[in-house]
Amino acid sequence: MENKKKKRIVIALGGNALGNTLPEQMKAVKITAKAIVDLIEEGCEVIVAHGNGPQVGMINNAMAALSREDANQPNTPLSVCVAMSQAYIGYDLQNAIRAELLRRGIFKTTSTILTQVEVDPYDDAFNNPVKLIGRTLTKEEADAEEEKGNYVTKTEDGYRRIVAAPKPQDIVEIDSIRLLLDAGQVVIAAGGGGIPVLPQNEELKGASAVIEKDLTSGLMAEMLNADMLMILTSVENVSINYGTPDEKPLEHITVADAKKYIAEGQFGENSMLPKMEAAVSFLEKGIGRTAVITSIDSALAGFQGKTGTIIE
């Protein structure tokens, strides 16, 4: 390890790293923790971000049910649901990472930062909600959501609620994240893309939105001057011509290649596109950086350049 340069890595965990229910999450984070600690053993400084799609929807539904049962309980804003999801996912993740570090004889503190992310109130995304949250709904449940003023879309197996996904502009707690990282801690931050907030004079007001976690992870990597942005998802490689006989996995590509594939519309708007956009933005704003998109099982091999889609 002495001959390896210490690398600062922002790891963006996809939903498959967390599961969809509380019991699934408890199991999933143990596997996730092993992949993260593998990288720490390689001498990396690690910042972990994560998605929260199923979790924030579950919390939102639970709080909505409570408000229906108890007239004294007002509806819980979506921004507060995001904060709740950050805390309980962070709780499971930091304990799993702490336990895995201790098993390997590594003594490091792991901390979760409740992270607010500023968004632009004039972002076009507020007029075009696309981000799926929550569980699958029946037609009756979907109609009820629309009556409350929420947006719903048809999916393959029913209906899902959709919310705005504005672009992240600034990370409010970035200095705290940097201080903990500089102190040698493992940091979990910007969960679910961050709590979306709008600056209003001295106040930060929660926005009814969900920020794409890959874009926030890329912004955080830029602001921390990380060496690597690692996006862990359900596949080992990004592919072009996905789902066709000409499907081709991408291995080592350049930023120019990535931009060409984005322009061709090769990547799904709610799946691979934000990952590629985050990687390109991160790489274009610094030199000597690398972005890796791969599966959680391949995290160490991806870091070592042996697998995954590596963009430089």
Side-chain angles (χ1 to χ4, degrees):
M1 276 178 36
E2 286 73 23
N3 61 354
K4 287 188 175 114
K5 176 182 177 290
K6 194 163 193 177
K7 288 198 171 182
R8 178 168 286 188
I9 301 183
V10 172
I11 301 171
L13 298 174
N16 63 308
L18 298 171
N20 291 299
T21 64
L22 285 168
E24 281 183 19
Q25 182 169 298
M26 288 291 287
K27 290 179 184 174
V29 293
K30 291 179 181 176
I31 298 166
T32 300
K34 288 177 182 174
I36 291 166
V37 177
D38 283 346
L39 294 168
I40 293 168
E41 277 195 321
E42 287 284 298
C44 297
E45 296 177 341
V46 170
I47 315 100
V48 182
H50 58 79
N52 72 341
Q55 294 84 359
V56 74
M58 179 182 70
I59 292 167
N60 192 240
N61 288 336
M63 301 311 288
L66 177 63
S67 68
R68 287 195 299 271
E69 290 171 13
D70 184 349
N72 295 318
Q73 289 287 349
N75 278 325
T76 305
L78 187 55
S79 56
V80 175
C81 295
V82 174
M84 290 177 174
S85 74
Q86 281 191 0
Y88 103 77
I89 295 169
Y91 165 63
D92 277 350
L93 257 180
Q94 72 182 35
N95 280 335
I97 293 169
R98 175 184 178 276
E100 187 63 27
L101 286 167
L102 289 173
R103 282 187 201 103
R104 304 194 199 186
I106 302 170
F107 300 93
K108 275 180 177 287
T109 303
T110 305
S111 301
T112 300
I113 297 275
L114 287 178
T115 313
Q116 300 174 95
V117 175
E118 290 186 16
V119 296
D120 182 351
Y122 301 106
D123 193 309
D124 288 341
F126 284 108
N127 299 317
N128 182 33
V130 296
K131 190 72 176 171
L132 297 166
I133 66 163
R135 60 177 175 83
T136 300
L137 306 171
T138 64
K139 178 72 167 64
E140 291 73 24
E141 289 172 325
D143 290 342
E145 286 293 329
E146 289 191 325
E147 283 177 20
K148 289 188 287 187
N150 295 325
Y151 293 95
V152 175
T153 190
K154 184 94 169 66
T155 61
E156 288 180 6
D157 51 356
Y159 297 84
R160 295 277 298 280
R161 188 175 164 200
I162 51 172
V163 296
K167 297 274 195 301
Q169 302 297 321
D170 194 18
I171 298 171
V172 177
E173 287 77 19
I174 194 68
D175 289 339
S176 299
I177 295 165
R178 189 181 290 111
L179 280 169
L180 289 174
L181 198 60
D182 288 345
Q185 295 198 25
V186 182
V187 184
I188 300 162
I195 304 161
V197 293
L198 303 166
Q200 295 181 5
N201 299 319
E202 297 84 10
E203 303 284 335
L204 293 170
K205 300 291 186 183
S208 184
V210 173
I211 306 169
E212 176 55 63
K213 69 103 176 39
D214 296 312
L215 297 181
T216 303
S217 298
L219 176 61
M220 186 161 63
E222 291 169 25
M223 296 179 81
L224 294 171
N225 193 26
D227 299 293
M228 180 179 285
L229 172 64
M230 177 174 282
I231 300 175
L232 299 180
T233 184
S234 58
V235 293
E236 192 165 340
N237 293 80
V238 181
S239 293
I240 54 171
N241 306 318
Y242 183 72
T244 74
D246 298 323
E247 183 174 332
K248 177 190 170 188
L250 300 175
E251 296 175 350
H252 283 77
I253 64 170
T254 64
V255 169
D257 293 330
K259 290 172 83 170
K260 177 171 80 77
Y261 295 137
I262 289 170
E264 289 173 0
Q266 289 281 358
F267 310 117
E269 186 176 3
N270 282 319
S271 54
M272 207 53 76
L273 180 60
K275 295 171 174 51
M276 296 299 287
E277 287 178 336
V280 167
S281 178
F282 169 65
L283 294 170
E284 285 188 323
K285 291 175 181 163
I287 56 170
R289 295 174 172 179
T290 305
V292 180
I293 304 174
T294 191
S295 66
I296 192 147
D297 298 333
S298 303
L300 181 58
F303 168 73
Q304 294 169 336
K306 295 175 182 175
T307 192
T309 297
I310 299 167
I311 313 165
E312 292 181 301

